[in-house]
Amino acid sequence: MSEALNEALHEEMTRDSSTLVIGEDIGAHGGLFKVTAGLLQEFGPSRVIDSPISEAGITGFGVGGALIGMRPVVELQIFDFVTLTMDQLVNHAAKWRFMSGGQVSVPLVVRGPISNGIGMAAQHSQTLEAWFVHTPGLVVIMPSNAYDAKGLLKSAIRDDNPVVFLEKRLLYARKGDVPSEEYVIPIGVADVKREGTDVTVVAAGASVQLSLQAARQLAREGVEVEVVDPRTLKPLDMDSIAASVAKTGRLIVVNEGPRAGGFASEVVARTLDHVPIGELRAAPVRVTAKDTPIPYSAGLERAVLPSVDDLLAAVATVMAR
């Protein structure tokens, strides 16, 4: 997936000279996880900008550049560091189009890795997408594989709205087929990763792979799970989610963020707005991280994050009702 993201950046910077990237160690070093490898040599230091260690400055640069016609791609080395730039992102990038009555746009992408699952502890392992889904004016994307990552990043760079693009660190090395020809994936369109008839599981990012693993195991027991990957968390493709739930009558949402006020709760609530309660065979269930900081200990971290066993237990619960 890291190579697919690199290809997307390379192709968009070649296609549009107003596209640039900025972040810490993204130039000569190629980024902490090599997503920007080779871009400096191809496009030079005026378009591949190694920044000081200042997330507020990096994103502020991105907002300003977008306002004057550039298409900046900001890399946050670890996405937890977005806490240092919330004013630029939430109060400025997200609001300028509205505050100007549509006279200006902010074609900005802020991307970076969610690094839970690799022992980086509480300040480097958070899953924070619910904050940005909650913010009017932002687009939020979370790909689950190399094909989607490339097509969605290209669409994000071309979009005239500010986009928060969340990449799961553990997926960077995951292989997948990516076409050599040009393609983009539309923003706001979900994808059914596995068809089923008994239970709908909605999951994004690394939770998709967890869900597919559980679905394969359950199929051997005669339970067919449909896995729906929203890909874009905002705007959310409720038509696809609602159609799946109307078919299966059961909903489970898997999300690596904390349970309280999380994205899983939003999906459940919006599904109940779209699917009459009488069509559900069981109450929806959320499978999420525990409401605690992410521990450093590998064993404790596994206990906090959602697991295949957690999802299997949730399926058993909704199937028994």
Side-chain angles (χ1 to χ4, degrees), residues 204-234:
S207 297
V208 173
Q209 306 306 327
L210 179 153
S211 301
L212 290 171
Q213 182 181 343
R216 290 189 292 269
Q217 182 171 332
L218 288 162
R220 295 193 289 269
E221 303 170 12
V223 178
E224 293 297 331
V225 174
E226 181 151 294
V227 179
V228 181
D229 178 358
R231 303 194 290 196
T232 304
L233 308 187
K234 186 179 182 179

PDB file of all heavy atoms in Angstrom, residues 204-234:
ATOM      1  N   ALA A 204     -13.783  -0.112   8.175  1.00  0.00           N
ATOM      2  CA  ALA A 204     -12.890   0.669   7.322  1.00  0.00           C
ATOM      3  C   ALA A 204     -11.454   0.448   7.764  1.00  0.00           C
ATOM      4  O   ALA A 204     -11.182   0.022   8.891  1.00  0.00           O
ATOM      5  CB  ALA A 204     -13.242   2.155   7.383  1.00  0.00           C
ATOM      6  N   GLY A 205     -10.508   0.750   6.874  1.00  0.00           N
ATOM      7  CA  GLY A 205      -9.103   0.618   7.220  1.00  0.00           C
ATOM      8  C   GLY A 205      -8.735  -0.817   7.559  1.00  0.00           C
ATOM      9  O   GLY A 205      -9.198  -1.771   6.927  1.00  0.00           O
ATOM     10  N   ALA A 206      -7.895  -0.984   8.569  1.00  0.00           N
ATOM     11  CA  ALA A 206      -7.430  -2.321   8.945  1.00  0.00           C
ATOM     12  C   ALA A 206      -8.568  -3.199   9.462  1.00  0.00           C
ATOM     13  O   ALA A 206      -8.468  -4.429   9.410  1.00  0.00           O
ATOM     14  CB  ALA A 206      -6.335  -2.212  10.003  1.00  0.00           C
ATOM     15  N   SER A 207      -9.649  -2.598   9.915  1.00  0.00           N
ATOM     16  CA  SER A 207     -10.785  -3.379  10.404  1.00  0.00           C
ATOM     17  C   SER A 207     -11.437  -4.196   9.298  1.00  0.00           C
ATOM     18  O   SER A 207     -12.122  -5.184   9.568  1.00  0.00           O
ATOM     19  CB  SER A 207     -11.825  -2.461  11.048  1.00  0.00           C
ATOM     20  OG  SER A 207     -11.301  -1.815  12.184  1.00  0.00           O
ATOM     21  N   VAL A 208     -11.228  -3.805   8.043  1.00  0.00           N
ATOM     22  CA  VAL A 208     -11.754  -4.583   6.927  1.00  0.00           C
ATOM     23  C   VAL A 208     -11.083  -5.950   6.873  1.00  0.00           C
ATOM     24  O   VAL A 208     -11.751  -6.980   6.713  1.00  0.00           O
ATOM     25  CB  VAL A 208     -11.556  -3.828   5.594  1.00  0.00           C
ATOM     26  CG1 VAL A 208     -11.941  -4.710   4.409  1.00  0.00           C
ATOM     27  CG2 VAL A 208     -12.378  -2.551   5.582  1.00  0.00           C
ATOM     28  N   GLN A 209      -9.756  -5.975   7.011  1.00  0.00           N
ATOM     29  CA  GLN A 209      -9.043  -7.252   6.968  1.00  0.00           C
ATOM     30  C   GLN A 209      -9.455  -8.141   8.141  1.00  0.00           C
ATOM     31  O   GLN A 209      -9.638  -9.350   7.979  1.00  0.00           O
ATOM     32  CB  GLN A 209      -7.531  -6.996   6.971  1.00  0.00           C
ATOM     33  CG  GLN A 209      -7.046  -6.061   5.876  1.00  0.00           C
ATOM     34  CD  GLN A 209      -7.469  -6.487   4.485  1.00  0.00           C
ATOM     35  OE1 GLN A 209      -7.587  -7.692   4.193  1.00  0.00           O
ATOM     36  NE2 GLN A 209      -7.704  -5.522   3.610  1.00  0.00           N
ATOM     37  N   LEU A 210      -9.612  -7.546   9.314  1.00  0.00           N
ATOM     38  CA  LEU A 210     -10.099  -8.299  10.478  1.00  0.00           C
ATOM     39  C   LEU A 210     -11.475  -8.893  10.192  1.00  0.00           C
ATOM     40  O   LEU A 210     -11.743 -10.063  10.492  1.00  0.00           O
ATOM     41  CB  LEU A 210     -10.139  -7.362  11.688  1.00  0.00           C
ATOM     42  CG  LEU A 210     -10.632  -7.871  13.028  1.00  0.00           C
ATOM     43  CD1 LEU A 210      -9.982  -7.049  14.149  1.00  0.00           C
ATOM     44  CD2 LEU A 210     -12.156  -7.771  13.173  1.00  0.00           C
ATOM     45  N   SER A 211     -12.339  -8.095   9.578  1.00  0.00           N
ATOM     46  CA  SER A 211     -13.711  -8.541   9.294  1.00  0.00           C
ATOM     47  C   SER A 211     -13.731  -9.648   8.253  1.00  0.00           C
ATOM     48  O   SER A 211     -14.513 -10.610   8.360  1.00  0.00           O
ATOM     49  CB  SER A 211     -14.551  -7.354   8.826  1.00  0.00           C
ATOM     50  OG  SER A 211     -14.575  -6.339   9.808  1.00  0.00           O
ATOM     51  N   LEU A 212     -12.902  -9.540   7.234  1.00  0.00           N
ATOM     52  CA  LEU A 212     -12.845 -10.580   6.212  1.00  0.00           C
ATOM     53  C   LEU A 212     -12.318 -11.888   6.796  1.00  0.00           C
ATOM     54  O   LEU A 212     -12.787 -12.978   6.435  1.00  0.00           O
ATOM     55  CB  LEU A 212     -11.972 -10.116   5.051  1.00  0.00           C
ATOM     56  CG  LEU A 212     -12.557  -8.989   4.196  1.00  0.00           C
ATOM     57  CD1 LEU A 212     -11.512  -8.474   3.208  1.00  0.00           C
ATOM     58  CD2 LEU A 212     -13.811  -9.446   3.457  1.00  0.00           C
ATOM     59  N   GLN A 213     -11.361 -11.780   7.708  1.00  0.00           N
ATOM     60  CA  GLN A 213     -10.844 -12.993   8.354  1.00  0.00           C
ATOM     61  C   GLN A 213     -11.947 -13.671   9.159  1.00  0.00           C
ATOM     62  O   GLN A 213     -12.120 -14.900   9.080  1.00  0.00           O
ATOM     63  CB  GLN A 213      -9.670 -12.637   9.272  1.00  0.00           C
ATOM     64  CG  GLN A 213      -9.040 -13.844   9.961  1.00  0.00           C
ATOM     65  CD  GLN A 213      -7.886 -13.437  10.877  1.00  0.00           C
ATOM     66  OE1 GLN A 213      -7.333 -12.326  10.777  1.00  0.00           O
ATOM     67  NE2 GLN A 213      -7.499 -14.326  11.775  1.00  0.00           N
ATOM     68  N   ALA A 214     -12.695 -12.888   9.912  1.00  0.00           N
ATOM     69  CA  ALA A 214     -13.801 -13.459  10.679  1.00  0.00           C
ATOM     70  C   ALA A 214     -14.866 -14.038   9.762  1.00  0.00           C
ATOM     71  O   ALA A 214     -15.442 -15.100  10.050  1.00  0.00           O
ATOM     72  CB  ALA A 214     -14.396 -12.394  11.591  1.00  0.00           C
ATOM     73  N   ALA A 215     -15.143 -13.355   8.649  1.00  0.00           N
ATOM     74  CA  ALA A 215     -16.169 -13.822   7.718  1.00  0.00           C
ATOM     75  C   ALA A 215     -15.805 -15.170   7.115  1.00  0.00           C
ATOM     76  O   ALA A 215     -16.673 -16.045   6.949  1.00  0.00           O
ATOM     77  CB  ALA A 215     -16.383 -12.778   6.617  1.00  0.00           C
ATOM     78  N   ARG A 216     -14.541 -15.354   6.777  1.00  0.00           N
ATOM     79  CA  ARG A 216     -14.112 -16.646   6.225  1.00  0.00           C
ATOM     80  C   ARG A 216     -14.285 -17.757   7.254  1.00  0.00           C
ATOM     81  O   ARG A 216     -14.702 -18.879   6.919  1.00  0.00           O
ATOM     82  CB  ARG A 216     -12.652 -16.552   5.762  1.00  0.00           C
ATOM     83  CG  ARG A 216     -12.459 -15.685   4.517  1.00  0.00           C
ATOM     84  CD  ARG A 216     -11.049 -15.810   3.966  1.00  0.00           C
ATOM     85  NE  ARG A 216     -10.055 -15.216   4.850  1.00  0.00           N
ATOM     86  CZ  ARG A 216      -9.650 -13.956   4.774  1.00  0.00           C
ATOM     87  NH1 ARG A 216     -10.163 -13.138   3.867  1.00  0.00           N
ATOM     88  NH2 ARG A 216      -8.712 -13.500   5.596  1.00  0.00           N
ATOM     89  N   GLN A 217     -13.989 -17.454   8.496  1.00  0.00           N
ATOM     90  CA  GLN A 217     -14.147 -18.458   9.548  1.00  0.00           C
ATOM     91  C   GLN A 217     -15.618 -18.788   9.762  1.00  0.00           C
ATOM     92  O   GLN A 217     -16.000 -19.961   9.888  1.00  0.00           O
ATOM     93  CB  GLN A 217     -13.521 -17.942  10.848  1.00  0.00           C
ATOM     94  CG  GLN A 217     -13.582 -18.935  12.003  1.00  0.00           C
ATOM     95  CD  GLN A 217     -12.752 -18.475  13.195  1.00  0.00           C
ATOM     96  OE1 GLN A 217     -11.764 -17.751  13.038  1.00  0.00           O
ATOM     97  NE2 GLN A 217     -13.144 -18.898  14.389  1.00  0.00           N
ATOM     98  N   LEU A 218     -16.474 -17.769   9.761  1.00  0.00           N
ATOM     99  CA  LEU A 218     -17.899 -17.994   9.980  1.00  0.00           C
ATOM    100  C   LEU A 218     -18.553 -18.725   8.818  1.00  0.00           C
ATOM    101  O   LEU A 218     -19.518 -19.473   9.012  1.00  0.00           O
ATOM    102  CB  LEU A 218     -18.594 -16.655  10.216  1.00  0.00           C
ATOM    103  CG  LEU A 218     -18.293 -16.011  11.578  1.00  0.00           C
ATOM    104  CD1 LEU A 218     -18.633 -14.526  11.558  1.00  0.00           C
ATOM    105  CD2 LEU A 218     -19.074 -16.719  12.681  1.00  0.00           C
ATOM    106  N   ALA A 219     -18.032 -18.528   7.622  1.00  0.00           N
ATOM    107  CA  ALA A 219     -18.604 -19.221   6.457  1.00  0.00           C
ATOM    108  C   ALA A 219     -18.493 -20.734   6.618  1.00  0.00           C
ATOM    109  O   ALA A 219     -19.371 -21.479   6.143  1.00  0.00           O
ATOM    110  CB  ALA A 219     -17.895 -18.763   5.184  1.00  0.00           C
ATOM    111  N   ARG A 220     -17.442 -21.194   7.268  1.00  0.00           N
ATOM    112  CA  ARG A 220     -17.284 -22.630   7.498  1.00  0.00           C
ATOM    113  C   ARG A 220     -18.340 -23.167   8.460  1.00  0.00           C
ATOM    114  O   ARG A 220     -18.578 -24.378   8.521  1.00  0.00           O
ATOM    115  CB  ARG A 220     -15.885 -22.923   8.024  1.00  0.00           C
ATOM    116  CG  ARG A 220     -14.774 -22.602   7.015  1.00  0.00           C
ATOM    117  CD  ARG A 220     -13.445 -23.190   7.446  1.00  0.00           C
ATOM    118  NE  ARG A 220     -12.886 -22.507   8.603  1.00  0.00           N
ATOM    119  CZ  ARG A 220     -12.061 -21.469   8.534  1.00  0.00           C
ATOM    120  NH1 ARG A 220     -11.712 -20.977   7.347  1.00  0.00           N
ATOM    121  NH2 ARG A 220     -11.565 -20.921   9.625  1.00  0.00           N
ATOM    122  N   GLU A 221     -18.967 -22.228   9.207  1.00  0.00           N
ATOM    123  CA  GLU A 221     -20.022 -22.618  10.140  1.00  0.00           C
ATOM    124  C   GLU A 221     -21.412 -22.337   9.576  1.00  0.00           C
ATOM    125  O   GLU A 221     -22.418 -22.471  10.275  1.00  0.00           O
ATOM    126  CB  GLU A 221     -19.828 -21.863  11.456  1.00  0.00           C
ATOM    127  CG  GLU A 221     -18.463 -22.088  12.099  1.00  0.00           C
ATOM    128  CD  GLU A 221     -18.203 -21.146  13.269  1.00  0.00           C
ATOM    129  OE1 GLU A 221     -19.162 -20.482  13.724  1.00  0.00           O
ATOM    130  OE2 GLU A 221     -17.046 -21.061  13.713  1.00  0.00           O
ATOM    131  N   GLY A 222     -21.465 -21.884   8.327  1.00  0.00           N
ATOM    132  CA  GLY A 222     -22.751 -21.655   7.675  1.00  0.00           C
ATOM    133  C   GLY A 222     -23.312 -20.261   7.843  1.00  0.00           C
ATOM    134  O   GLY A 222     -24.463 -20.008   7.483  1.00  0.00           O
ATOM    135  N   VAL A 223     -22.521 -19.325   8.379  1.00  0.00           N
ATOM    136  CA  VAL A 223     -22.957 -17.938   8.554  1.00  0.00           C
ATOM    137  C   VAL A 223     -22.272 -17.087   7.492  1.00  0.00           C
ATOM    138  O   VAL A 223     -21.042 -17.037   7.438  1.00  0.00           O
ATOM    139  CB  VAL A 223     -22.634 -17.403   9.958  1.00  0.00           C
ATOM    140  CG1 VAL A 223     -23.052 -15.941  10.088  1.00  0.00           C
ATOM    141  CG2 VAL A 223     -23.310 -18.252  11.021  1.00  0.00           C
ATOM    142  N   GLU A 224     -23.075 -16.427   6.649  1.00  0.00           N
ATOM    143  CA  GLU A 224     -22.533 -15.625   5.552  1.00  0.00           C
ATOM    144  C   GLU A 224     -22.545 -14.142   5.923  1.00  0.00           C
ATOM    145  O   GLU A 224     -23.608 -13.536   6.076  1.00  0.00           O
ATOM    146  CB  GLU A 224     -23.326 -15.869   4.272  1.00  0.00           C
ATOM    147  CG  GLU A 224     -23.169 -17.269   3.715  1.00  0.00           C
ATOM    148  CD  GLU A 224     -21.732 -17.583   3.305  1.00  0.00           C
ATOM    149  OE1 GLU A 224     -20.997 -16.635   2.923  1.00  0.00           O
ATOM    150  OE2 GLU A 224     -21.328 -18.761   3.368  1.00  0.00           O
ATOM    151  N   VAL A 225     -21.369 -13.582   6.068  1.00  0.00           N
ATOM    152  CA  VAL A 225     -21.206 -12.195   6.488  1.00  0.00           C
ATOM    153  C   VAL A 225     -20.938 -11.318   5.258  1.00  0.00           C
ATOM    154  O   VAL A 225     -20.089 -11.648   4.429  1.00  0.00           O
ATOM    155  CB  VAL A 225     -20.032 -12.068   7.481  1.00  0.00           C
ATOM    156  CG1 VAL A 225     -19.758 -10.595   7.817  1.00  0.00           C
ATOM    157  CG2 VAL A 225     -20.312 -12.860   8.748  1.00  0.00           C
ATOM    158  N   GLU A 226     -21.662 -10.222   5.168  1.00  0.00           N
ATOM    159  CA  GLU A 226     -21.399  -9.230   4.125  1.00  0.00           C
ATOM    160  C   GLU A 226     -20.536  -8.124   4.729  1.00  0.00           C
ATOM    161  O   GLU A 226     -20.908  -7.522   5.740  1.00  0.00           O
ATOM    162  CB  GLU A 226     -22.697  -8.655   3.583  1.00  0.00           C
ATOM    163  CG  GLU A 226     -22.487  -7.632   2.464  1.00  0.00           C
ATOM    164  CD  GLU A 226     -23.642  -7.589   1.490  1.00  0.00           C
ATOM    165  OE1 GLU A 226     -23.857  -8.598   0.788  1.00  0.00           O
ATOM    166  OE2 GLU A 226     -24.342  -6.555   1.450  1.00  0.00           O
ATOM    167  N   VAL A 227     -19.387  -7.853   4.122  1.00  0.00           N
ATOM    168  CA  VAL A 227     -18.458  -6.843   4.633  1.00  0.00           C
ATOM    169  C   VAL A 227     -18.531  -5.622   3.724  1.00  0.00           C
ATOM    170  O   VAL A 227     -18.211  -5.702   2.535  1.00  0.00           O
ATOM    171  CB  VAL A 227     -17.019  -7.374   4.703  1.00  0.00           C
ATOM    172  CG1 VAL A 227     -16.074  -6.283   5.207  1.00  0.00           C
ATOM    173  CG2 VAL A 227     -16.951  -8.601   5.620  1.00  0.00           C
ATOM    174  N   VAL A 228     -18.951  -4.501   4.301  1.00  0.00           N
ATOM    175  CA  VAL A 228     -19.073  -3.244   3.568  1.00  0.00           C
ATOM    176  C   VAL A 228     -17.985  -2.290   4.048  1.00  0.00           C
ATOM    177  O   VAL A 228     -17.908  -1.979   5.238  1.00  0.00           O
ATOM    178  CB  VAL A 228     -20.464  -2.605   3.762  1.00  0.00           C
ATOM    179  CG1 VAL A 228     -20.567  -1.291   2.968  1.00  0.00           C
ATOM    180  CG2 VAL A 228     -21.569  -3.565   3.339  1.00  0.00           C
ATOM    181  N   ASP A 229     -17.167  -1.832   3.114  1.00  0.00           N
ATOM    182  CA  ASP A 229     -16.086  -0.887   3.407  1.00  0.00           C
ATOM    183  C   ASP A 229     -16.532   0.491   2.904  1.00  0.00           C
ATOM    184  O   ASP A 229     -16.591   0.723   1.697  1.00  0.00           O
ATOM    185  CB  ASP A 229     -14.815  -1.335   2.692  1.00  0.00           C
ATOM    186  CG  ASP A 229     -13.638  -0.403   2.897  1.00  0.00           C
ATOM    187  OD1 ASP A 229     -13.799   0.632   3.581  1.00  0.00           O
ATOM    188  OD2 ASP A 229     -12.552  -0.706   2.364  1.00  0.00           O
ATOM    189  N   PRO A 230     -16.825   1.430   3.797  1.00  0.00           N
ATOM    190  CA  PRO A 230     -17.266   2.752   3.337  1.00  0.00           C
ATOM    191  C   PRO A 230     -16.193   3.500   2.559  1.00  0.00           C
ATOM    192  O   PRO A 230     -16.504   4.360   1.738  1.00  0.00           O
ATOM    193  CB  PRO A 230     -17.624   3.492   4.624  1.00  0.00           C
ATOM    194  CG  PRO A 230     -17.228   2.635   5.751  1.00  0.00           C
ATOM    195  CD  PRO A 230     -16.850   1.286   5.249  1.00  0.00           C
ATOM    196  N   ARG A 231     -14.927   3.200   2.831  1.00  0.00           N
ATOM    197  CA  ARG A 231     -13.774   3.851   2.194  1.00  0.00           C
ATOM    198  C   ARG A 231     -13.711   5.341   2.518  1.00  0.00           C
ATOM    199  O   ARG A 231     -12.703   5.836   2.995  1.00  0.00           O
ATOM    200  CB  ARG A 231     -13.761   3.617   0.672  1.00  0.00           C
ATOM    201  CG  ARG A 231     -13.758   2.162   0.285  1.00  0.00           C
ATOM    202  CD  ARG A 231     -13.403   1.927  -1.157  1.00  0.00           C
ATOM    203  NE  ARG A 231     -14.429   2.359  -2.089  1.00  0.00           N
ATOM    204  CZ  ARG A 231     -14.478   1.987  -3.351  1.00  0.00           C
ATOM    205  NH1 ARG A 231     -13.535   1.179  -3.837  1.00  0.00           N
ATOM    206  NH2 ARG A 231     -15.424   2.411  -4.147  1.00  0.00           N
ATOM    207  N   THR A 232     -14.804   6.047   2.262  1.00  0.00           N
ATOM    208  CA  THR A 232     -14.915   7.451   2.664  1.00  0.00           C
ATOM    209  C   THR A 232     -15.819   7.515   3.890  1.00  0.00           C
ATOM    210  O   THR A 232     -16.985   7.120   3.821  1.00  0.00           O
ATOM    211  CB  THR A 232     -15.524   8.304   1.530  1.00  0.00           C
ATOM    212  OG1 THR A 232     -14.732   8.153   0.351  1.00  0.00           O
ATOM    213  CG2 THR A 232     -15.567   9.761   1.919  1.00  0.00           C
ATOM    214  N   LEU A 233     -15.300   8.004   4.997  1.00  0.00           N
ATOM    215  CA  LEU A 233     -16.103   8.102   6.218  1.00  0.00           C
ATOM    216  C   LEU A 233     -16.997   9.338   6.192  1.00  0.00           C
ATOM    217  O   LEU A 233     -18.046   9.357   6.827  1.00  0.00           O
ATOM    218  CB  LEU A 233     -15.187   8.143   7.445  1.00  0.00           C
ATOM    219  CG  LEU A 233     -14.133   7.024   7.550  1.00  0.00           C
ATOM    220  CD1 LEU A 233     -13.429   7.098   8.891  1.00  0.00           C
ATOM    221  CD2 LEU A 233     -14.738   5.657   7.314  1.00  0.00           C
ATOM    222  N   LYS A 234     -16.556  10.352   5.461  1.00  0.00           N
ATOM    223  CA  LYS A 234     -17.375  11.544   5.276  1.00  0.00           C
ATOM    224  C   LYS A 234     -17.021  12.150   3.930  1.00  0.00           C
ATOM    225  O   LYS A 234     -15.857  12.517   3.716  1.00  0.00           O
ATOM    226  CB  LYS A 234     -17.122  12.555   6.399  1.00  0.00           C
ATOM    227  CG  LYS A 234     -18.053  13.753   6.356  1.00  0.00           C
ATOM    228  CD  LYS A 234     -17.765  14.685   7.512  1.00  0.00           C
ATOM    229  CE  LYS A 234     -18.737  15.864   7.497  1.00  0.00           C
ATOM    230  NZ  LYS A 234     -18.480  16.773   8.630  1.00  0.00           N
TER     231      LYS A 234
END
